Amino acid sequence: AQSVTQLDSHVSVSEGTPVLLRCNYSSSYSPSLFWYVQHPNKGLQLLLKFLSGSTLVKGINGFEAEFKKSETSFHLTKPSAHMSDAAEYFCVVSAGNFNKFYFGSGTKLNVKP
Amino acid sequence: GAVVSQHPSRVICKSGTSVKIECRSLDFQATTMFWYRQFPKQSLMLMATSNEGSKATYEQGVEKDKFLINHASLTLSTLTVTSAHPEDSSFYICSPLAGDYEQYFGPGTRLTVT
């Protein structure tokens, strides 16, 4: 079975400081992992994805995530937060056959000026 | 990136009536379509998965006779909420699966049942 745990429902950082959004997963298969962002009243947008290969994945807007199999984690990071990063972020896991995607509960990122 | 449209974006209907939500992938074909609902301040909950030309597979607890899904073509899927009740009020999001296994998401439909 697959599941995703986002450990923090809310994260608050100051503009210009690093961002860390945590995600742990459980999967019976080799997982595919995704991070999506949802701005208020907007649809979800893909930030980055890990299907296979390099475990450090770079995405849009300066975000990165590292797949750590030993820790079953896929944490999202950004060196320097921008006000426009304030949004809700979802970690998603899929089993190898992509017939189902499982969403974490989401982390709301607040960026203070 | 790929473009997905949903129509309507917002709909208000009376209890007991039915509402149809359309989802179109405008610049790619999707053999698989996911339908989600999202309650306020909550994550997306998968309702059903449909493959073009086949019957949809519903998640546990989702009534297939209440939420009718038609995946008529590789670019169009519809979700019909039949005999809607206030507890069906939610944000419904479609998500076609592209060939590179990336899920694209529609902008969502806010349904309010009065």
Side-chain angles (χ1 to χ4, degrees), chain B residues 5-22:
Chain B
S5 71
Q6 268 185 252
H7 177 79
S9 58
R10 290 176 179 271
V11 58
I12 301 173
C13 70
K14 292 186 177 180
S15 188
T17 61
S18 295
V19 173
K20 180 185 281 189
I21 301 169
E22 283 191 356

Side-chain angles (χ1 to χ4, degrees), chain B residues 22-40:
Chain B
E22 283 191 356
C23 175
R24 294 179 185 272
S25 53
L26 300 182
D27 54 358
F28 68 100
Q29 294 183 329
T31 54
T32 301
M33 180 73 73
F34 301 97
W35 282 95
Y36 295 88
R37 65 188 296 182
Q38 185 180 28
F39 291 103

Side-chain angles (χ1 to χ4, degrees), chain A:
Chain A
Q2 279 66 239
S3 67
V4 179
T5 302
Q6 289 184 246
L7 297 160
D8 307 298
S9 58
H10 289 81
V11 169
S12 186
V13 301
S14 297
E15 191 175 21
T17 63
V19 175
L20 169 65
L21 304 183
R22 296 183 293 169
C23 172
N24 287 88
Y25 69 91
S26 171
S27 178
S28 304
Y29 307 92
S30 295
S32 294
L33 294 153
F34 307 79
W35 275 99
Y36 285 87
V37 61
Q38 186 179 35
H39 287 92
N41 301 314
K42 295 271 184 77
L44 283 94
Q45 180 185 19
L46 179 69
L47 282 177
L48 47 81
K49 62 183 175 184
F50 169 77
L51 301 182
S52 63
S54 173
T55 56
L56 181 61
V57 181
K58 294 185 185 296
I60 62 172
N61 301 334
F63 284 94
E64 292 184 351
E66 187 171 8
F67 171 61
K68 291 187 176 180
K69 188 175 181 180
S70 60
E71 298 176 10
T72 60
S73 69
F74 191 58
H75 301 334
L76 182 70
T77 61
K78 182 172 180 177
S80 176
H82 192 272
M83 294 297 292
S84 60
D85 294 328
E88 184 126 30
Y89 292 79
F90 293 96
C91 182
V92 181
V93 67
S94 176
N97 54 3
F98 299 98
N99 68 346
K100 208 172 274 192
F101 291 77
Y102 297 86
F103 278 73
S105 54
T107 299
K108 191 162 188 177
L109 176 64
N110 179 44
V111 182
K112 299 175 287 186

Side-chain angles (χ1 to χ4, degrees), chain B residues 59-77:
Chain B
E59 295 299 298
Q60 193 172 7
V62 178
E63 299 175 57
K64 62 181 174 70
D65 294 328
K66 181 171 185 59
F67 298 99
L68 302 179
I69 291 173
N70 186 307
H71 196 158
S73 73
L74 293 174
T75 58
L76 172 64
S77 178

